């Protein structure tokens, strides 16, 4: 779905609905805007319930100051105007108050985007604007002064965040990613000291394999492949709704026939990805005209070396990823479901996905269906898409429970004798 081709009012509605439904603002909080080619600012209205907005509620503030619409523009229009004046390259602005980012704002800190590989690239440098009265020219000047430095993500003291971009999707992606970084860092600090990526790690990522992939021209499509495409989309959309993915990060794949598999495309908005967007990979080549996920080599080797695996998921949900960015080990011996589905959960080095995907693929034996990659991701394998998705959910929910338990007391794991009982009862050794 190319949201940038929608009229400005429809774009505002689409993304404000996403922000509100995702729990990143309140009924009365937050505002977003678009600067169109005529120099007019389209902005969300003041005093209208975010849960009942329609495109007719959006307001157009003409370049000459005239206001068109049935409502008043957002009370924070002044800072939108001043940012656009300071940064002519920006055409969209998102401002909201996600709880995690508010937490950082009220301790006057910025989230660290060096916990995972792509977040620093997406968000860029993070600035901090001094506090001023909401809706005031002073606040607008404070924010615009930070944007004028070339920064595109600005925290507001005791307030929230403002991000800008060339279009509304990029602004939303930057905003969503910064919120994810804040949530991840908060969860990680509950169990240890977060570890940051080094310059060497970023260099490893830049030199990774899989950037140049051969293509093939496909002919025809089986009924089974069509079903796989629909199932992939259904679970990708669910993963986004469950906050297991962000809009552009997270990869699902499934085996189709032999070692052929379907994989999610690179860079596509996970909320709107469609069956026809999925990329077929055959003999390591991607179908012509499509860009597959950069993690394609790892998926390929898992399917080649692990015949029992028919689905591979790569994601970074914030609770299980708290263990990836700290030295704390994740132990699945919490409740029976967790151990049955997850078994042992080893940690792999950061470069495991990049340097030697063939060797990394050997990890995913029947007794090791999941692994955490330091400062990178969680990788889950399954005999079916649904089994792999279930494991991903269970990993995130189990990690969430462990993190919550740290506020209550010492964690008591299921003992060895009871673990053996589970292994016998559920025939885990034979899986």
């Amino acid at each position: 779905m190319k949201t940038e081709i929608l009229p400005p009012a429809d774009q505002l509605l689409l993304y404000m609905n996403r922000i509100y439904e995702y729990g990143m603002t309140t009924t009365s909080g937050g505002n977003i805007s678009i600067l169109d080619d005529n120099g007019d600012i389209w902005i969300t209205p003041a005093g209208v319930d975010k849960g009942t907005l329609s495109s007719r509620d959006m307001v157009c503030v003409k370049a000459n100051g005239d206001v068109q619409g049935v409502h008043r523009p957002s009370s924070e229009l002044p800072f939108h105007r001043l940012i656009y004046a300071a940064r002519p390259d920006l055409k969209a602005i998102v401002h909201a108050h996600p709880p995690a980012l508010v937490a950082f704002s009220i301790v006057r800190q910025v989230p660290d985007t060096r916990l995972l590989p792509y977040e620093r690239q997406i968000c860029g440098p993070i600035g901090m604007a001094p506090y001023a009265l909401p809706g005031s020219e002073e606040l607008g000047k404070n924010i615009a002064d930070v944007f004028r430095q070339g920064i595109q993500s600005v925290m507001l003291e005791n307030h929230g965040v403002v991000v800008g971009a060339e279009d509304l999707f990029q602004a939303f992606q930057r905003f969503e990613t910064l919120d994810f970084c804040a949530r991840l860092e908060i969860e990680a600090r509950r169990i240890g000291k977060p570890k940051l990526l080094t310059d060497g790690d970023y260099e490893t990522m830049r030199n990774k394999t899989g950037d140049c992939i051969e293509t093939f021209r496909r002919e025809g499509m089986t009924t089974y492949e069509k079903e796989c495409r629909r199932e992939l989309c259904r679970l990708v959309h669910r993963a986004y709704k469950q906050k297991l993915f962000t809009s552009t990060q997270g990869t699902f794949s499934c085996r189709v026939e032999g070692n052929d598999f379907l994989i999610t495309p690179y860079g596509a908005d996970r909320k709107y990805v469609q069956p026809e967007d999925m990329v077929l990979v055959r003999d390591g080549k991607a179908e012509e005209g499509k860009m597959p996920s950069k993690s394609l080599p790892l998926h390929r080797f898992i399917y080649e070396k692990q015949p029992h695996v028919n689905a591979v998921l790569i994601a970074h949900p914030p609770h299980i990823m708290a263990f990836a960015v700290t030295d704390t080990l994740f132990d699945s011996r919490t409740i029976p479901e967790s151990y049955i589905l997850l078994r042992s959960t080893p940690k792999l080095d950061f470069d495991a996905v990049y340097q030697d995907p063939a060797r990394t693929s050997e990890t995913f034996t029947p007794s090791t269906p999941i692994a955490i990659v330091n400062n990178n991701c969680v990788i889950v394998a399954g005999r079916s898409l649904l089994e792999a998705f279930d494991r991903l959910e269970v990993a995130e929910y189990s990690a969430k429970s462990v993190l919550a338990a740290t506020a209550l007391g010492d964690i008591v794991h299921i003992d060895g004798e009871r673990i053996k009982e589970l292994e016998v009862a559920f025939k885990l050794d034979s899986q």
Side-chain angles (χ1 to χ4, degrees):
M1 181 177 180
K2 296 185 180 297
T3 57
E4 66 272 14
I5 68 174
L6 296 173
D10 291 336
Q11 290 189 51
L12 293 177
L13 176 65
L14 186 76
Y15 284 102
M16 185 51 83
N17 281 344
R18 289 179 73 168
I19 291 168
Y20 181 69
E21 291 170 1
Y22 211 58
M24 295 191 287
T25 198
T26 59
T27 296
S28 60
N31 36 80
I32 61 178
S33 72
I34 294 172
L35 180 67
D36 70 16
D37 293 338
N38 298 322
D40 302 335
I41 296 175
W42 293 78
I43 193 166
T44 46
V48 180
D49 178 5
K50 296 292 191 298
T52 63
L53 283 173
S54 73
S55 58
R56 295 186 299 276
D57 294 315
M58 304 307 163
V59 183
C60 178
V61 182
K62 307 295 287 185
N64 64 7
D66 291 345
V67 176
Q68 296 181 351
V70 298
H71 303 288
R72 293 177 293 109
S74 167
S75 62
E76 293 186 305
L77 171 65
F79 78 62
H80 289 257
R81 275 179 164 156
L82 288 168
I83 292 170
Y84 288 130
R87 290 287 301 279
D89 58 312
L90 302 181
K91 302 299 180 185
I93 293 169
V94 172
H95 165 57
H97 319 126
L101 288 174
V102 168
F104 274 88
S105 81
I106 61 181
V107 296
R108 309 290 177 88
Q109 296 178 25
V110 300
D112 203 312
T113 58
R114 295 172 297 166
L115 293 173
L116 297 177
Y118 296 102
E119 280 60 21
R120 184 174 70 169
Q121 174 185 334
I122 293 170
C123 297
I126 315 299
M128 177 74 78
Y131 178 83
L133 181 71
S136 67
E137 289 289 329
E138 181 187 4
L139 177 62
K141 181 180 182 303
N142 290 349
I143 300 170
D145 284 347
V146 183
F147 271 99
R148 196 173 281 111
Q149 300 169 24
I151 290 172
Q152 301 183 103
S153 302
V154 180
M155 298 289 297
L156 314 183
E157 291 181 349
N158 296 83
H159 193 150
V161 66
V162 180
V163 301
E166 295 177 5
D167 60 51
L168 197 50
F169 173 61
Q170 289 183 47
F172 173 80
Q173 179 190 6
R174 188 166 288 140
F175 164 74
E176 179 189 50
T177 301
L178 187 58
D179 176 62
F180 169 78
C181 291
R183 289 187 286 122
L184 173 57
E185 186 172 346
I186 289 168
E187 297 301 339
R189 287 183 181 278
R190 296 168 73 175
I191 55 171
K193 182 179 179 180
K195 301 179 298 180
L196 303 180
L197 291 170
T198 66
D199 290 342
D201 293 329
Y202 283 109
E203 187 64 27
T204 295
M205 188 180 70
R206 281 192 290 270
N207 295 332
K208 68 182 179 180
T209 59
D211 288 330
C212 297
I213 298 172
E214 293 184 70
T215 63
F216 73 95
R217 181 172 296 180
R218 65 165 307 144
E219 296 179 3
M221 186 182 300
T222 65
T223 299
Y224 182 66
E225 182 185 335
K226 293 177 182 178
E227 292 173 355
C228 288
R229 287 175 178 270
R230 286 194 293 270
E231 181 72 354
L232 267 175
C233 274
R234 185 176 70 84
L235 291 177
V236 166
H237 294 163
R238 190 192 295 184
Y240 183 78
K241 185 177 181 180
Q242 296 281 74
K243 300 185 181 181
L244 305 173
F245 275 6
T246 56
S247 56
T248 56
Q249 295 194 58
T251 301
F252 279 13
S253 72
C254 69
R255 191 191 298 268
V256 177
E257 183 179 3
N259 290 328
D260 295 357
F261 61 95
L262 289 166
I263 193 168
T264 43
Y266 174 75
D269 189 337
R270 299 309 190 241
K271 183 174 175 64
Y272 300 120
V273 71
Q274 296 299 308
E276 60 269 21
D277 298 325
M278 300 301 171
V279 186
L280 182 66
V281 178
R282 177 173 294 158
D283 298 325
K285 300 177 182 180
E287 62 178 297
E288 194 175 60
K290 296 183 178 181
M291 177 65 72
S293 164
K294 300 293 186 181
S295 62
L296 182 154
L298 176 60
H299 292 251
R300 177 189 177 189
F301 283 117
I302 292 175
Y303 290 123
E304 289 177 356
K305 293 179 176 291
Q306 306 292 354
H308 70 285
V309 172
N310 292 310
V312 178
L313 317 183
I314 295 180
H316 46 52
H319 297 94
I320 190 69
M321 288 305 296
F323 293 88
V325 301
T326 62
D327 288 326
T328 304
L329 297 176
F330 174 74
D331 193 329
S332 68
R333 296 173 302 149
T334 52
I335 62 173
E337 180 191 41
S338 297
Y339 184 76
I340 291 167
L341 285 174
L342 306 179
R343 307 292 297 280
S344 64
T345 307
K347 275 192 174 184
L348 308 180
D349 292 338
F350 170 77
D351 62 3
V353 177
Y354 309 121
Q355 298 289 68
D356 194 352
R359 182 177 179 182
T360 300
S361 69
E362 296 171 359
T363 303
F364 299 93
T365 62
S367 62
T368 311
I370 180 172
I372 295 171
V373 184
N374 287 330
N375 290 92
N376 200 317
C377 62
V378 58
I379 306 170
V380 184
R383 292 166 296 183
S384 69
L385 266 170
L386 188 59
E387 182 181 70
F389 183 83
D390 189 19
R391 282 180 170 145
L392 179 61
E393 274 191 333
V394 169
E396 175 66 350
Y397 279 53
S398 299
K400 188 174 183 179
S401 298
V402 171
L403 292 170
T406 60
L408 302 175
D410 295 334
I411 295 173
V412 179
H413 291 104
I414 302 173
D415 64 40
E417 185 176 338
R418 297 301 185 185
I419 288 295
K420 289 180 181 178
E421 182 181 58
L422 284 173
E423 291 174 346
V424 171
F426 289 88
K427 300 180 173 60
L428 297 183
D429 290 335
S430 63
Q431 291 184 15

